[in-house]
Structure formats: structure tokens, C-alpha cells
Amino acid sequence: MGALIWLASYPKSGNTWMRSFLHNLFRNEHKPVSINEIDDFCLSGSVVHWYRGYISTPLQEITEEETARYRMQVQRDFTTVFPDSVFVKTHNYLGDHQGVPLHNMDVTAGAIYIVRNPLDVVLSMMPHFGISLEEAIESLANEAAGTMRTATHVPEHYGSWSTNVRTWTRQPSPGLFVVRYEDMLDKPRKTFKQVTKFLGLNPSQERIERAIKFSSFKTLKTQEEKTGFKERPGISKSFFREGKRDQWRAKLTPDQVRRIIADHHEQMARFGYIPEDYKDAVPAEKAVSNVDG
């Protein structure tokens, strides 16, 4: 039995990339691990079949109340899947929903949280969720944002981008490692080495670089083109879009940039996401959200 390590992020922030890196690192094979085997390594906290032993009604009819009632026990069940640490993907904010925690801290050993510039996140949200840019900007600031129940998944509760980031990162802890998507791009060797150190691992540099190569955007996109990716939403043409940073400069209007900064300036400032040429977009009186999740 192993304790849980959450791989957490707001959607479209690099969670799948991190999962792929770790999967390739642990498997240590001489070819990339299939992206469609990623759930063999990292569980998804929202998959509905985990509730099968607790609910007699058809799983596609599970209610929000039933999900909340059994969530803590379901997550305790995760610890029995592997004898060592169990990695679990989540896009939920860190807090309670309907009076029940979204993450069972009693069986948690730690978490890796990936944060990405919201100016780029909105561009990735559009094709992934099949929404317009304006809808993506609105969703980014929506405290009730999340997913609906489906036949295969229970709802996820993202909160706004700011709430998601704040609730996971506001209290530094030895059990929490926060990594920026942009550092994964710009400084992959240093950044992923820090990830392995946080996990108490000491792999060779060669092994780390092979895992970086096998989980690169180019490799993941090529795999998706050849075999498909079962996590791709049906509404989206592809899961892996471009994997770049700062695309917002060519694709967002100044008004859209200012709106996102106005909505999220507090957390954006913490992670260095407010551009120098938009410093004046930060409200003179910094409003503090009263939503803690």
C-alpha cells in the first residue's frame, strides 16, 4: 500500500506532459511509452468505475451527493493499487466541495502542482473544450468552472484559474513541489531534475534526458497522430496542439490581455506572468478573492 502523490493543475497546463515524463522515467525503456498506457502509471481521480463497489445504481447515474459521500473512501482505495507511491491526476482545486474535501489528505504523501501562464492557457482551452476565446476567458474566471458528469467520469471542480493556483500553492510545504510550465519548456534538464529530487529519486542524467526526449511535445504529438489518444475530447481535433509559450502576443487583443490580468493579477504576479508592457493593467486597488474553495 502506498500513499498518494497528486499531479495537480488547472486544465491545459502541462499535467499530461508531467505524467508522460514520469511514466517514461520509471519505465526506463529504450523507446517512448505509449501515451495510451499513461493511466497504467498514473490514476485519474475522476474515473467513475472506482465508485462501483459503493453505489448500486448505474454508474452513469451517480449523483453529486453520492460522489461526495464516497470520495474519501474511493481515494483511500487508490492506495491499494501499487505497493509504493500512487500518482493521481487531478484538476480539482484544493479545498472542499459540498462540505467534503476534494482530496483525501489522510492518505496523501505529497503533490506536484504545474502552473501555466493563463494568457496561454485560454488559447489551449478553446480547441480542447470547443469554446470561443471569449468563453475561455469567462471560464478562466468562473469560480464554478468544472466538468459535468459523464458515463465514465464524475464531475471535476476547477474553480477559477486563480482559485486553482492559489489553493494549491499558497502554503509552502516540504510535500509540495510547484513547477512552472514555462520552466519545463525553457529549462527542461534543470526543472525535471528538480522533480526527481523532490520525489526522492536519484536517476542518472542519461535516464532523465531520455525521459525528457520520450515525453517531448514532438514525440507525444507524433504518437497521437499515429495511434490517437484516448484522453482527447471528442470535440477536439487533437489533444496536443502546439506546446509553446507566449502565443498570446499574436492571438490576444490588448483588451483581452488586460481583462485576464485584471481577473487574475494577484496569482499572475506571484509567478511572473504579468508582462512589463501591461503592468498598468493591474488594478490600483488589488481586490482579494474571498473564495478559498
Side-chain angles (χ1 to χ4, degrees), residues 55-222:
I55 298 172
S56 58
T57 57
L59 292 181
Q60 61 270 26
E61 298 177 10
I62 181 174
T63 66
E64 185 71 4
E65 291 74 17
E66 289 172 320
T67 302
R69 185 182 312 144
Y70 297 110
R71 184 183 298 118
M72 294 299 95
Q73 184 55 51
V74 164
Q75 292 179 8
R76 188 174 295 277
D77 292 344
F78 291 168
T79 66
T80 67
V81 177
F82 302 117
D84 299 317
S85 298
V86 180
F87 291 91
V88 186
K89 166 195 169 185
T90 181
H91 290 314
N92 289 322
Y93 62 78
L94 184 60
D96 294 355
H97 184 74
Q98 292 198 347
V100 177
L102 289 166
H103 305 86
N104 189 339
M105 291 296 119
D106 289 340
V107 294
T108 291
I112 296 173
Y113 187 83
I114 308 107
V115 59
R116 184 185 185 190
N117 191 336
L119 297 172
D120 282 324
V121 170
V122 291
L123 299 177
S124 291
M125 289 173 64
M126 293 165 57
H128 186 80
F129 294 114
I131 57 180
S132 68
L133 179 54
E134 283 301 309
E135 289 172 325
I137 293 173
E138 290 175 5
S139 181
L140 203 72
N142 181 5
E143 297 297 351
T147 58
M148 302 292 289
R149 182 191 68 203
T150 70
T152 57
H153 290 77
V154 299
E156 289 187 297
H157 305 283
Y158 309 151
S160 69
W161 179 86
S162 289
T163 289
N164 201 288
V165 172
R166 186 183 68 254
T167 56
W168 276 102
T169 68
R170 63 186 166 186
Q171 292 184 326
S173 164
L176 172 68
F177 184 77
V178 180
V179 56
R180 297 194 328 155
Y181 177 92
E182 295 75 18
D183 292 333
M184 292 163 64
L185 279 174
D186 297 343
K187 301 177 287 186
R189 291 175 179 82
K190 178 181 179 180
T191 303
F192 285 113
K193 176 67 175 178
Q194 291 173 333
V195 170
T196 64
K197 183 178 180 180
F198 166 75
L199 294 173
L201 306 174
N202 188 30
S204 67
Q205 190 62 36
E206 177 186 5
R207 184 169 177 175
I208 292 175
E209 292 192 9
R210 184 163 57 245
I212 290 172
K213 178 182 178 181
F214 288 170
S215 61
S216 69
F217 181 83
K218 180 179 179 181
T219 300
L220 298 178
K221 188 171 181 63
T222 298

